Amino acid sequence: MLQFNSTADLDPAEGIIGQPVAMEAMRFGVECDAPGQNIFVRGTSGTGRTSMVRSLLAELNPQARRRLDRCYVHNFKQPDRPRLITLPAGQGPVFRKRIKDFAEFIELRLLESLDSEPLKTRRDAIGKNTQDELQAITSPLEEELAKNELALVSLQSGSVSRPAIFPVIEGKPTSPEELIGLLKAGTVTEADLEAFEEKIKEFTPRLEEISREANKSWVQGMKRIREFIEEEARTLLRNFASGLMAKMSQNDIIEYIDEVIQDVIENRLDSESRDKLPSPQTLYGVNVICSHDNDSSPVITEYTPSVMNLLGTVEPEFVGKGQVVTNYRGIRAGALVNADGGYLILNANDVLSEPGAWHMMMRVLRTGKVEIVPAEAGWFAPTQSLKPEAIDITLRIILIGNSQLYYQLDQLDPDFRDQFKVLADFNPEIERSALGVN
C-alpha cells in the first residue's frame, strides 16, 4: 500500500538517479581545464540526457573560466574591419554610455566651446598679426605707386582674389572699363592711357614678386589659425574624454579615443565637410555584442545551431532610397561568443543537419577564434562586406547524441577525437536498488 495520496505529497528526488558513470565523466569534463576536454554525452534519445546535463551543471555551479564583455567600434584605418574591444565583465555598457556622452559633446558643444570669447580673442589676434605682416609687405609698393598716380587694388572673382594696379584719376582707382568711358567723354587722352600702361608695365614684375610673398604670408597665417583651432579642439576633447574614461585605461580604449579625436580634428572642424558626415553618435558609437552582469558561468543551449546562430552575423542597415550598408552597429553575437568562459549544449544531429555548421564548429574548437560573417548573400545583401575582427574564445561544448552517431564521427572526422576527449555514457537502464526503487 502506498504511503501517500498523490505524488504532490512527495519531495522531488535530488540529483541524477542511476547514472554514476555518466555523472563521473561529466564531472571530470566540467572540472578539467586541459584542452580538448569537450564532452560527448552518448545515450538513447528520450532518456533525459539534456536534463541530466543541465542538472549537473546547476549542481556543480562551476565558476566561469573568464567573463569578458565584447564590443565593436568603427575602425578608422580599415572601415571594413570593425575593431573589437574586450573589457572586464560589466564594463561594456559603461563604455558605451561614456562614448555616447563624448559623441554628444562633439556634436552639440565642441564648436560652441571653440567660439568662446577668450578663444575668439586669441584667434582674432593671430588674424591681426597676419594682416600686419601683409601690410608690411605691400606698403613700400603702395607708396611708390601713389607717387606715380597709381594704386594697388584687390579684384575678387568668386572666392579668389588677385592684386592689380589701377591708375588714379580724380582721387580714385579707375578700372580699364571706366578708362574707356573717360576716354570717350574726353576726360583723358590716348597719350594719358599710354602713359598709364607704361607705368603699370614697369611695376608689374615687382607686383608679381610681392604677390607671391604676400600669398605665402597669408597661407602661413591661415595655417597658424588652423593649428590654433586644432590644438584648442584637441585639448578640449582630451580633457572631456579623460574625465569620462578615468577608470577605463585599457590600451584599446586609449587608442580608440585618440583616433576619434584625430577624426574630429581632420573632418569636423569645418562646417562644410562636417555636414556631409554621419552623426558623431552614429560613427563613434559602441556596439556591445556580449556583456555579463553576474558571476555565474554561462550555460547556453542552442536548439537551432545554424552557422548564423552559432557564429553570429552582421545585419544590414537600410538607408536612403533603399540603399543597404553594413557597419559595426549591425554585428550580432552567436551562441559561441555568448557561451565564452562557460558551456554550450548542442544536439549533434541538429548541428549536422545545418549546412556548414559542423565544420564551422570544429574549426572554432581548433583555432579558438570566432569570425563573425555577414548573412548569406540574398536579394538584400549589401555591396560592402564587413569582416569584423576575430574573437578569441574559451568554452566547453557539450554535444548530445547516440552511439551510432558517435562512432560515425569518430571514424569520419579526424578532429573529433582530439576535440571531444570526454565520453559520458548515459545508460538506458537503471540498476534496481534501494535508491532506484524509492
Side-chain angles (χ1 to χ4, degrees), residues 60-75:
L60 294 176
N61 190 26
Q63 293 299 307
R65 290 174 174 82
R66 60 181 184 179
R67 298 172 61 253
L68 301 172
D69 284 7
R70 310 288 189 166
C71 312
Y72 278 103
V73 296
H74 179 70
N75 188 332

Side-chain angles (χ1 to χ4, degrees), residues 217-341:
S217 177
W218 182 84
V219 169
Q220 289 295 325
M222 293 301 99
K223 182 181 178 182
R224 287 195 294 270
I225 291 176
R226 175 73 184 186
E227 289 175 347
F228 169 76
I229 294 173
E230 289 181 356
E231 189 58 34
E232 291 302 321
R234 197 183 304 276
T235 299
L236 288 168
L237 291 169
R238 283 179 174 168
N239 289 343
F240 191 89
S242 64
L244 288 177
M245 305 299 168
K247 296 182 179 179
M248 305 185 79
S249 57
Q250 291 90 337
N251 289 336
D252 285 348
I253 290 181
I254 294 173
E255 184 176 349
Y256 176 64
I257 293 295
D258 287 344
E259 289 186 358
V260 169
I261 291 174
Q262 187 61 34
D263 186 73
V264 173
I265 298 302
E266 292 177 358
N267 302 309
R268 294 187 182 273
L269 298 183
D270 179 78
S271 58
E272 292 184 5
S273 61
R274 184 178 66 251
D275 294 340
K276 299 176 184 178
L277 297 173
S279 163
Q281 297 194 53
T282 297
L283 188 62
Y284 306 146
V286 176
N287 178 11
V288 182
I289 67 166
C290 180
S291 181
H292 300 276
D293 56 5
N294 57 59
D295 295 328
S296 61
S297 180
V299 177
I300 306 295
T301 303
E302 180 55 62
Y303 296 100
T304 309
S306 63
V307 171
M308 184 173 69
N309 288 344
L310 290 175
L311 284 183
T313 188
V314 182
E315 296 178 355
E317 179 179 355
F318 292 85
V319 294
K321 299 182 179 179
Q323 183 183 1
V324 180
V325 298
T326 55
N327 54 49
Y328 76 94
R329 294 183 298 157
I331 302 173
R332 302 290 180 264
L336 286 164
V337 173
N338 288 323
D340 182 34

Side-chain angles (χ1 to χ4, degrees), residues 43-60:
T44 304
S45 178
T47 53
R49 296 166 300 175
T50 302
S51 299
M52 184 272 288
V53 169
R54 298 192 68 87
S55 176
L56 179 60
L57 289 174
E59 178 185 331
L60 294 176

Side-chain angles (χ1 to χ4, degrees), residues 23-39 57 60 62-65 341-343 394-398 419 421-422:
M23 287 284 288
E24 187 62 29
M26 279 289 301
R27 188 182 301 273
F28 173 81
V30 168
E31 295 178 348
C32 180
D33 285 332
Q37 303 299 317
N38 297 289
I39 306 168
L57 289 174
L60 294 176
Q63 293 299 307
R65 290 174 174 82
Y343 304 87
T394 298
L395 81 164
R396 188 61 44 83
I397 291 182
I398 301 175
Q419 297 300 332
K421 295 179 179 178
V422 179

